[in-house]
Amino acid sequence: MTTSTGLPASFHLVFLSEGADLPVGAEVAADDFTGKAESSLVLYPADGPKRLVLLGLGASPDVETLRKQAGVAARLAAGKKATTVSVQWPDLDLADAEVAEAIAEGLVLGGYRFDRYRTTQEEPPAIIEALVWVGAPDGTVEASEQGRILGEATSFARDLVNTSPGDQSATDLAMAAKRSADAHGYEAQVWSMGEIIQEGMGGLLAVNRGSEEPPTFTRLEWKPADAVNEQPIVLVGKGIVFDTGGLSLKPSSGMEKMKGDMGGAAAVIGGIEAVARLKLPVWVIALVPSTDNRPGKNAYVPGEVITMHSGATVEVLNTDAEGRMILADALSFAKRFEPELVIDFATLTGAQVIALGPLAAAIMTNEDDGAEARTQRVVDAGQRSGDRVWPLPMFAGYKKLLESDVADLKNVGGRAAGTITAGKFLEHFTDYPWVHVDIAGPSFANATEGYATKGGTGFGVRLIARMIQDRALKK
């Protein structure tokens, strides 16, 4: 999608707060449109653009409402086969750059369509190819370009989540990351089975034992010459490309969504792509341990004790708690970079969905002197990016639930506080500033709404980009 300034297109968008004056040509809508949040109305004025689209923002417009309504507008445009849309610059009490970025981002995300497997001859909906700003201030095009990039990187993550598991082995996922690196100027290194064995990644190897496909461990790196940080920010993404639960088999109902159990990997791959495309001056490394989790003839079993990359031993009580096993190895590996901060993303626990539903991810962090400030930075970045998060406690007492009679710790702590005990398990393998983001709920949408489309959401990409942008400003 290209962006420019100029005259209104035949599909012209007007974003209005509640009670705002209607534009010329829309007087007929006075009784039908009040600007109420999430309202929309398509008009066919006698003069001016062929279609005038009114989009309500409510009494107190914010950036997230703009994104959502832009997503609605994208689907309205697609329904009318409009490939060029224009936007009347809205008079809002928001920063100009935020407005331009949010609208462009929402248009890209709302117009997303995953059609890789469609074979029908029906003409697909139009994709917005050009965005024209009308009456916009200086800098609008640049800010909207940033929104476009964020939308496209998030769409890339959505594609990864939505891909059929038959077409996405651990190797396939690693190759998708490498193609992104080659296209956007960052580095990619993919380890195969032999290198993983040599590195001693016992958790990843254990989970992989039931699979017919080998595991991979992917390292991605963006290190610009003008990086403001001397120690990298490390992203870690859970890359379980399909999760049956292993021998602790999941119920069949809903198992088809387990193709999305690599949503954490999709987030960090899309996130580092966004960072590279935005050319942010921050050194970032992403680590993606990947395999599927299946009940094959050599699958790891409950009661087994696994020696992890760190040397710690783990008693396996549930083979469906596999994500933390592969993440633990990656978190241990991350120590060698002496990181400034490590952030892991994972569709880790069903308990997160029960606690927070689909609207926010759960975050946890080490309990140290920097915990409060670190947590607040992530919460703020989530609020501004639209990838919202909410903190959970990490009191030391929760670690007691992971005590094992035969090993250093066990891989589950029972039903109580399941999201937190999973976080405490991961914390065991860190000795640096660390944030855990459990995205089980918001990583997959059951319906299309606002700029979210049914299926993989790409949650985490925009959060990563916002956090890295914030770090770039902190010299």
Side-chain angles (χ1 to χ4, degrees), residues 451-466:
Y451 58 80
T453 54
K454 188 175 181 179
T457 64
F459 186 97
V461 172
R462 297 175 302 152
L463 176 62
I464 290 168
R466 179 62 65 186

Side-chain angles (χ1 to χ4, degrees), residues 112 151-161 176-177 180 186 269-270 273:
Y112 172 83
E152 290 176 354
T154 302
S155 295
F156 171 49
R158 289 179 175 181
D159 283 347
L160 293 176
V161 173
S180 172
Y186 62 96
I269 296 169
E273 176 180 299

